[in-house]
Amino acid sequence: MIALLLVPLALPWLLPPLARRAIARVHPEAALWAIAGSAAVLAIGVVACLGILLLPVALAVPPLAALAHLVEPLRAGPRLLVLAVSVLAAGTLTVTCATVARRVWSELRRLSAARGEVAHLPHAGGLCVLDDPRPDAYALPGGLRGKDRIVVTTGMLRALDARERETLLAHERAHLAERHHLFLAAAQLAGWCHPALAAVVPQVSFAAERAADEAAARATGDRKLTARAVGRAALAATRGPGPGRLPLVAAGVGTGPVPARVKAMLAQAPVRRVAPVLLVMVLMCSLAAASSCAGAVLLHRGVEVAQGEQTSG
């Protein structure tokens, strides 16, 4: 059982190299779905396995064993090994839950502050112009009851010409239309659950930017114009407010390695196809889910035995 439950804890280390390969080989939208989805599935597997692993040490406490109606100690493997792994899992799960709660609260406060900054501004079609000489532009999700907003500063509008401004707005509209903030949020949550998954957050962000770039190119019908707009907007944004001011789910114009984005836009449009790397990611997630379920079934069987149900049956 212990070995089965350790598999989902180790599999996330395979995702970062697979994510980099997916970014290079498949369509950005497919890469975004695959990487963010894999990170979410693996994170759920990690938390589930940590929860299952802490049960042996919890059921070694007499009051909890009595609540579970155990008539003999739970046997899930060598006692010292099981207790050591279980104690480590309990500590890791506690730290993980505390970290996720603290960072989610911090992000919610930043998101609320960002919404409050533009709540009083007039908007046309969801576009808000912020009177700020520092160049910046970002897509701000509205949540369940709020309205999505595209926020552009006057500094950014002055940094671009008319056609580049239209391209920039098409890029930000794509972020909101495709709900890229949900992918970013899922990746961030997964990254807070496992250190290996934190390494794929930049890949998810880059895939979201590439997908929005491709959407802007389709809207304008000019890949060179999109490449120029991306480069100039990102260069101007380096003189903007800087990182840390906006919530992580607000996709900013200067996100990701800009030279790679510009190079991709100057190349031919990517072809939608199923690459082998996507199948490997699906198999990895399936293995994580299967290992978690098998470990849970074995633990449940061990609890039944410890409850004496095997002999009574």
Side-chain angles (χ1 to χ4, degrees):
M1 184 200 77
I2 295 295
L4 280 173
L5 292 175
L6 292 179
V7 170
L9 301 180
L11 283 176
W13 296 102
L14 299 178
L15 187 57
L18 290 174
R20 290 191 291 270
R21 193 173 183 87
I23 287 290
R25 291 180 176 269
V26 301
H27 194 279
E29 292 177 2
L32 180 61
W33 276 92
I35 300 170
S38 297
V41 170
L42 292 175
I44 292 171
V46 166
V47 174
C49 287
L50 290 175
I52 296 170
L53 284 170
L54 68 81
L55 285 178
V57 73
L59 294 178
V61 179
L64 295 178
L67 288 175
H69 307 292
L70 301 189
V71 298
E72 61 178 84
L74 174 66
R75 296 192 182 113
R79 183 171 177 79
L80 289 179
L81 174 62
V82 170
L83 290 181
V85 172
S86 189
V87 168
L88 182 60
T92 303
L93 185 61
T94 300
V95 172
T96 298
C97 290
T99 299
V100 170
R102 176 173 53 84
R103 293 188 175 179
V104 166
W105 176 248
S106 175
E107 283 303 304
L108 289 175
R109 291 181 61 186
R110 291 166 66 185
L111 183 57
S112 178
R115 288 172 178 164
E117 187 178 14
V118 300
H120 65 285
L121 296 177
H123 62 89
L127 173 63
C128 295
V129 178
L130 191 62
D131 188 11
D132 190 333
R134 298 171 299 181
D136 199 11
Y138 51 92
L140 188 62
L144 295 177
R145 289 178 291 180
K147 298 294 185 180
D148 295 340
R149 293 286 183 266
I150 297 172
V151 183
V152 183
T153 65
T154 52
M156 179 61 77
L157 294 177
R158 284 192 289 266
L160 306 177
D161 63 29
R163 296 183 66 202
E164 291 166 349
R165 288 195 291 269
E166 286 300 319
T167 303
L168 173 66
L169 295 180
H171 173 100
E172 300 300 341
R173 289 191 193 100
H175 278 313
L176 295 175
E178 300 300 326
R179 317 306 290 172
H180 288 166
H181 57 278
L182 298 180
F183 296 92
L184 297 174
Q188 289 293 343
L189 284 171
W192 295 332
C193 293
H194 195 287
L197 299 178
V200 305
V201 174
Q203 304 297 331
V204 173
S205 179
F206 179 60
E209 292 302 320
R210 283 281 300 110
D213 290 343
E214 292 294 336
R218 290 193 298 270
T220 61
D222 191 335
R223 296 182 67 83
K224 290 184 178 180
L225 171 63
T226 305
R228 187 172 74 246
V230 166
R232 291 190 63 183
L235 181 62
T238 59
R239 305 190 298 273
R245 183 182 71 92
L246 296 173
L248 297 171
V249 296
V253 67
T255 305
V258 177
R261 290 170 56 193
V262 171
K263 181 179 179 181
M265 294 311 303
L266 293 176
Q268 292 183 348
V271 179
R272 296 178 185 271
R273 61 189 179 90
V274 178
V277 65
L278 299 182
L279 300 178
V280 173
M281 294 168 76
V282 170
L283 289 175
M284 181 178 62
C285 292
S286 301
L287 178 59
S291 298
S292 301
C293 291
V297 168
L298 290 177
L299 179 65
H300 183 263
R301 184 58 181 163
V303 171
E304 288 183 333
V305 172
Q307 291 172 336
E309 292 184 15
Q310 188 180 49
T311 57
S312 64

